Amino acid sequence: MSILPQAHPFRRFGRRLLAGALPGSCLLCGGDSAPSLICPDCEADLPALPGALCPLCNEQTTHGERCGACLKEAPHFDRTTARFRYDFPVDRIIHALKYGHQLAVADWLAGQMLGTPDTPNVDLIIPLPLHSERLRERGFNQSAEIAGRLGKCLKLPVDRSTLLRTRATPPQAELPLKERHKNVRGAFECRGDFSGRRILLVDDVMTTGATLNECARVLKLHGASTVHVVVAARALKH
């Protein structure tokens, strides 16, 4: 079944995401979903990633080879694992967490991310940090909420304080693609030693990967042996 707002019960998602789902009811269609946040039918229709992806950044490729961008300049992270394609209605689910403060979404997203077949070999989890100004505005860091739940399930420590965002930058979504790397350059600071640590870097969405790449660069400058990125959703170019 194709995911089209005019032909699917997802068309009612707007009111539900704003108002919050009733206990045991699907966040998207309002049907019975207990004990999950999303009912099985809606979950089956969520936008999946294609089978052939660049192993480094998860951009779509023809046969699962490295994409042209990663061949031209390899990112500082070693691998990316994403659960969904960033498209309707996954974008609205993530917005319900990020802007609607529906923290139950973090539990659901973490559970979905744990269901990916690619299990990284890591010993420490770090969420993508927010600048203090943005954290005060929002009241919480959605990446930290997801990371905390992943840490509990994987029985791994979660470090929320050593990697910091020390420079406030314009939101990446507001900038042309070619300016995003420059925007986040020097925006992060590491106040610790990660020598030999294998880090799982957690965020909600990867678009160009510029912000996660800058974080990975800083982590490796401070000794990290590997940085594996895991996100709930990946925005694809094509």
Side-chain angles (χ1 to χ4, degrees):
M1 182 188 298
S2 63
I3 299 176
L4 297 173
Q6 68 271 24
H8 192 275
F10 285 161
R11 64 180 177 272
R12 298 192 293 273
F13 77 94
R15 292 190 297 275
R16 298 202 59 76
L17 290 178
L18 289 173
L22 296 172
S25 62
C26 176
L27 188 66
L28 294 174
C29 73
D32 183 14
S33 66
S36 182
L37 190 72
I38 310 293
C39 73
D41 287 343
C42 287
E43 189 172 306
D45 275 341
L46 293 176
L49 287 163
L53 298 167
C54 170
L56 294 185
C57 74
N58 264 201
E59 181 57 73
Q60 184 174 7
T61 56
T62 305
H63 303 292
E65 73 280 13
R66 288 194 184 191
C67 67
C70 289
L71 285 172
K72 182 178 180 181
E73 184 176 358
H76 294 283
F77 48 79
D78 299 275
R79 195 167 183 84
T80 298
T81 301
R83 176 63 181 89
F84 298 109
R85 189 174 78 250
Y86 190 59
D87 203 347
F88 177 88
V90 167
D91 55 350
R92 301 304 188 262
I93 296 172
I94 291 173
H95 288 179
L97 168 63
K98 205 168 182 175
Y99 307 116
H101 292 208
Q102 296 194 36
L103 297 183
V105 174
D107 289 292
W108 183 83
L109 288 174
Q112 293 293 315
M113 292 156 78
L114 287 167
T116 57
D118 185 10
T119 304
N121 188 16
V122 297
D123 49 44
L124 179 66
I125 299 175
I126 295 180
L128 189 80
L130 284 179
H131 189 266
S132 56
E133 292 179 6
R134 186 69 56 79
L135 187 58
R136 281 194 297 271
E137 291 171 3
R138 190 171 295 165
F140 69 102
N141 178 353
Q142 74 281 355
S143 300
E145 294 294 327
I146 297 169
R149 289 153 174 80
L150 289 173
K152 286 180 182 179
C153 292
L154 296 172
K155 295 181 171 53
L156 290 172
V158 180
D159 187 331
R160 299 175 177 87
S161 59
T162 307
L163 180 67
L164 304 172
R165 188 162 193 154
T166 54
R167 182 167 63 83
T169 58
Q172 292 284 80
E174 297 177 2
L175 299 173
L177 295 180
K178 58 178 70 172
E179 292 184 21
R180 295 186 183 187
H181 288 277
K182 188 188 300 183
N183 182 50
V184 294
R185 186 76 177 183
F188 298 94
E189 181 180 312
C190 185
R191 297 179 179 174
D193 181 11
F194 287 118
S195 293
R197 303 304 295 271
R198 299 164 299 175
I199 294 173
L200 188 69
L201 183 59
V202 177
D203 200 10
D204 54 349
V205 179
M206 176 190 276
T207 50
T208 63
T211 304
L212 289 159
N213 191 45
E214 178 64 10
C215 283
R217 185 185 73 83
V218 172
L219 290 169
K220 287 197 169 178
L221 281 175
H222 287 78
S225 60
T226 60
V227 177
H228 186 128
V229 169
V230 62
V231 294
R234 175 68 160 104
L236 300 180
K237 295 176 183 177
H238 308 294

